[in-house]
Amino acid sequence: MTSCFLRYLSTFSLGNMNLHKLSSRLYPTATQKFRHLHIQSSGQQLEAVAVETASAEPNPLSVFRTSEQDPTYHSEGHSGQYYMLPPAHIQKLFPYGLPPRFQLQIKTFNEGCVMVRPPALELISYLKRADYSKPPLRYVLYGDIGTGKTMSLCHALHYCYTQGWLIVHIPDAHLWIKNCKELLPSSSRPSRFDQPIQASQWLKNFKITNERFLSKLKTTQRYVWTKRESTEKGQPLGELIDQGVNRMKSSSDVVGAVLRELKLQAGGTTEGEGAFKLAVAVDGVNALWGKTSLKKEDRTMCEPEELTLIHNLRKMMKNNWSGGAILTALSQTGSVFKPRSAYLPNELLGEEGFDSMEPFVPVSVSNYNEKEFESCYLYYLDRSWLQHPHSRSEEGKKELIFLCNKNPSILERLCAAL
Amino acid sequence: MAASVRHLLKPWTPSLCFARWSRYNPYYLDPDPSKDTLETMKRKQVEKYHRSPAAKRLEIECNPYTIFQQALENCKPIIGLASVQKGGKSYQVPVPLTDNRRRFLAMKWLITECRDNKHRRTHMYEKLSQELLAAFANEGNVVKRKHDLHKMAEANRAYAHYRWW
């Protein structure tokens, strides 16, 4: 109670109702420009374009947004600028794939804006130039905590989606190796364990993302689930997925079957018009080769190899198929039994993981540089997220740089409280 | 830079966990309970701001500090009741309150309201932010309690002469 009181006193001395008006009198140019931007109309993209083309001198307003909504055309010139994710794409592609704080941000700002950054641009340029008749390349995004690996992965995935690829997105592989409420012994193999809830959840999300492919692709083999249920050869993939969603017991095996089908058909050589490219995106790929925190019934630890879902994912990571790409990102935040300071692929993947993933293309993600920090700061100012008058001054900006070391996630958490 | 050196403020063995600050071992950082309330309030207001048409945007206040100040101002009672004993019977006498007492009452009412009358499963910062936003708009249970106190004081106006200080 006393600490509340002291904090109350401190805020009282800094903040006063009149200070808001005082600040707008002291810094008329910046705040009034932003106010003007708000009041004009609801078409923010149009405004940004108008400002860019109209002013000849470098106007700081135009630097942080770009009107280019298609990741295909993003280039070095757009680096550091925010582009808006179309809401339809967010609903279809990312019902579950974005980081939770970013989802909160989308809800608050009523729009989803992603910054174009060099690691994502690098990844997209590799994807553009790769040869898809050869086995897929493995890209691993690595970096310190909170530098934007998941966001870069989502940016690259958005590019794949706009190009019409089939997306297999596992938002966080760590969720499959910990906190599992139901661990059933597998129906098909005696030594494996099933996770029906996670598998059916994933199948539902897969269905939402890849609606249009479900009726086109057909199974190549007959799958028998129980004595009375089986899926015949030549059935559309949508039926297989419905089978998995409705019958929770065999959902993990359905996941394995779906992955196998996609691997076989990704090359596009079987059917003429069914040719598609497959993008396998796994966030937290170090979960596949670490330890799990799940226990078997006799209270011994489960190996990741014994879980059906993990086993099938590991098979996808091998590059014995063609016609796609494997995009992965390491993650220490969700990992079990790994120290907080570990962020390199060697440390997080472990020996086994590194040997399986090798050869891969490492893409390093780091903190914001000056230009990116500037554009992030301007974006928050534009969205009226930085409310404290001191944070809008030059000194406040320097304080922010010092406190967060230009780390994106820490900056976001700091600005939330201001 | 502060973010990257934060890991130095750790206990020197994995089995140790600091629970409180002491002058000889200042490695414990108190958690700040106020930033969650401010953040939730700001989020709700900014969401309202972005979803409203341009005409209404100027009226929506997004600064969590000003909302907090104004909400507290709205919860402070102007006049209070004191129990005075006269002739064997005690009467509730309307009495002016000092600034400190008013502030104390406003904060106490907010906290008790959040503790008692909200859903059990919500966090304290959520409950506080809802109550503060309601008080900012002069609605909600705390402002109602302040109005009840004022009405009682108005009703007991006749006993005002029993006050001798």
Side-chain angles (χ1 to χ4, degrees), chain A residues 9 29 48 61 74 77 91 97 117 129 137 140 168 177 195 225 228 237 259 279 296 309 385 390 408:
Chain A
L9 276 182
T29 46
L61 279 181
H74 285 158
Q91 253 192 345
R117 291 183 75 194
R129 292 187 299 194
L137 283 170
V140 174
V168 170
I177 57 162
Q195 286 153 305
W225 309 120
R228 279 167 231 172
L237 211 61
L259 291 177
K296 295 187 268 210
L309 290 172
W385 190 231
H390 186 63

Side-chain angles (χ1 to χ4, degrees), chain A residues 91-353:
Chain A
Q91 253 192 345
K92 281 233 131 177
L93 176 58
F94 296 128
Y96 50 94
L98 294 166
R101 284 205 71 103
F102 187 69
Q103 281 172 347
L104 270 181
Q105 189 178 302
I106 295 182
K107 191 165 159 277
T108 314
F109 294 162
N110 214 15
E111 63 171 12
C113 273
V114 179
M115 196 195 270
V116 176
R117 291 183 75 194
L121 285 173
E122 205 184 314
L123 201 52
I124 293 179
S125 70
Y126 292 157
L127 287 172
K128 282 182 191 168
R129 292 187 299 194
D131 184 2
Y132 291 110
S133 53
K134 304 238 175 69
L137 283 170
R138 285 185 277 238
Y139 307 97
V140 174
L141 283 161
Y142 71 97
D144 212 352
I145 298 184
T147 43
K149 303 181 283 286
T150 314
M151 290 308 293
S152 304
L153 189 68
C154 292
H155 187 177
L157 259 192
H158 187 220
Y159 163 75
C160 297
Y161 185 73
T162 47
Q163 297 288 304
W165 294 28
L166 199 151
I167 311 266
V168 170
H169 182 37
I170 289 105
D172 195 358
H174 292 297
L175 297 173
W176 288 358
I177 57 162
K178 53 179 182 174
N179 301 341
C180 181
K181 301 269 166 86
E182 285 179 18
L183 197 65
L184 305 173
S186 167
S187 39
S188 49
R189 265 159 260 253
S191 63
R192 296 245 194 93
F193 291 95
D194 267 0
Q195 286 153 305
I197 318 175
Q198 277 91 341
S200 55
Q201 180 68 33
W202 184 80
L203 282 170
K204 279 183 212 150
N205 293 327
F206 180 77
K207 200 166 145 184
I208 297 174
T209 313
N210 300 307
E211 290 271 9
R212 50 210 173 104
F213 286 105
L214 294 180
S215 43
K216 285 194 222 161
L217 299 170
K218 312 268 186 238
T219 57
T220 52
Q221 197 199 327
R222 186 168 181 265
Y223 294 102
V224 180
W225 309 120
T226 57
K227 268 191 233 158
R228 279 167 231 172
E229 284 164 20
S230 63
T231 315
E232 302 298 325
K233 181 172 168 178
Q235 296 279 335
L237 211 61
E239 261 205 41
L240 199 59
I241 296 184
D242 288 327
Q243 164 77 27
V245 169
N246 296 334
R247 288 260 175 264
M248 297 264 275
K249 266 194 90 169
S250 48
S251 46
S252 316
D253 292 320
V254 168
V255 169
V258 162
L259 291 177
R260 189 170 165 276
E261 291 299 321
L262 292 174
K263 226 162 67 160
L264 286 173
Q265 297 183 17
T269 46
T270 45
E271 288 148 76
E273 63 125 49
F276 63 90
K277 291 198 206 127
L278 183 60
V280 180
V282 185
D283 202 349
V285 73
N286 44 326
L288 301 182
W289 289 283
K291 293 190 238 174
T292 64
S293 66
L294 303 171
K295 290 199 181 145
K296 295 187 268 210
E297 299 219 332
D298 50 351
R299 302 228 224 129
T300 52
M301 294 302 277
C302 227
E303 295 296 314
E305 194 44 55
E306 291 175 11
L307 295 168
T308 341
L309 290 172
I310 308 288
H311 181 81
N312 292 322
L313 257 190
R314 279 199 201 177
K315 282 197 276 187
M316 282 305 271
M317 292 285 123
K318 286 192 231 161
N319 48 3
N320 46 7
W321 46 284
S322 69
I326 305 181
L327 313 158
T328 63
L330 299 175
S331 161
Q332 194 282 333
T333 33
S335 65
V336 287
F337 307 118
K338 286 278 179 217
R340 199 190 176 285
S341 52
Y343 73 94
L344 294 167
N346 202 6
E347 298 162 343
L348 281 177
L349 285 173
E351 277 209 37
E352 204 195 325

Side-chain angles (χ1 to χ4, degrees), chain B:
Chain B
M1 194 187 56
S4 54
V5 300
R6 202 208 171 286
H7 70 278
L8 293 172
L9 292 164
K10 268 190 341 191
W12 44 88
T13 13
S15 51
L16 270 184
C17 180
F18 294 133
R20 54 190 71 81
W21 183 89
S22 87
R23 74 189 100 146
Y24 306 114
N25 186 13
Y27 293 116
Y28 177 73
L29 295 172
D30 297 299
D32 183 6
S34 56
K35 66 176 166 66
D36 283 325
T37 14
L38 297 171
E39 189 192 327
T40 2
M41 285 201 301
K42 193 163 78 154
R43 260 190 215 279
K44 288 189 195 162
Q45 289 297 94
V46 169
E47 200 181 326
K48 224 163 87 170
Y49 179 92
H50 286 301
R51 277 175 211 238
S52 61
K56 301 242 179 98
R57 278 185 176 182
L58 281 172
E59 300 158 357
I60 299 179
E61 175 63 52
C62 290
N63 190 345
Y65 295 96
T66 50
I67 297 179
F68 173 74
Q69 298 297 334
Q70 186 53 40
L72 203 64
E73 228 8 87
N74 291 350
C75 290
K76 284 184 189 171
I78 302 175
I79 189 168
L81 290 173
S83 189
V84 171
Q85 219 184 22
K86 185 144 173 142
K89 213 171 128 186
S90 45
Y91 302 95
Q92 293 289 318
V93 173
V95 121
L97 298 169
T98 59
D99 228 7
N100 281 341
R101 179 82 187 149
R102 294 171 63 207
R103 220 169 16 226
F104 170 78
L105 279 176
M107 292 201 271
K108 178 114 176 137
W109 287 345
L110 275 168
I111 297 175
T112 34
E113 160 68 31
C114 290
R115 270 192 200 144
D116 302 335
N117 295 350
K118 299 276 189 207
H119 184 63
R120 168 185 82 89
R121 294 271 295 184
T122 42
H123 292 280
M124 191 63 184
Y125 68 83
E126 265 177 65
K127 298 189 233 191
L128 257 183
S129 62
Q130 283 168 7
E131 205 47 55
L132 282 169
L133 281 172
F136 179 71
N138 273 317
E139 306 158 344
N141 284 343
V142 188
V143 166
K144 183 165 158 296
R145 187 166 170 176
K146 173 189 91 157
H147 288 324
D148 288 342
L149 182 64
H150 286 176
K151 281 181 202 151
M152 280 273 279
E154 187 61 32
N156 286 3
R157 224 170 39 184
Y159 300 129
H161 292 287
Y162 289 170
R163 180 173 68 95
W164 66 83
W165 59 89

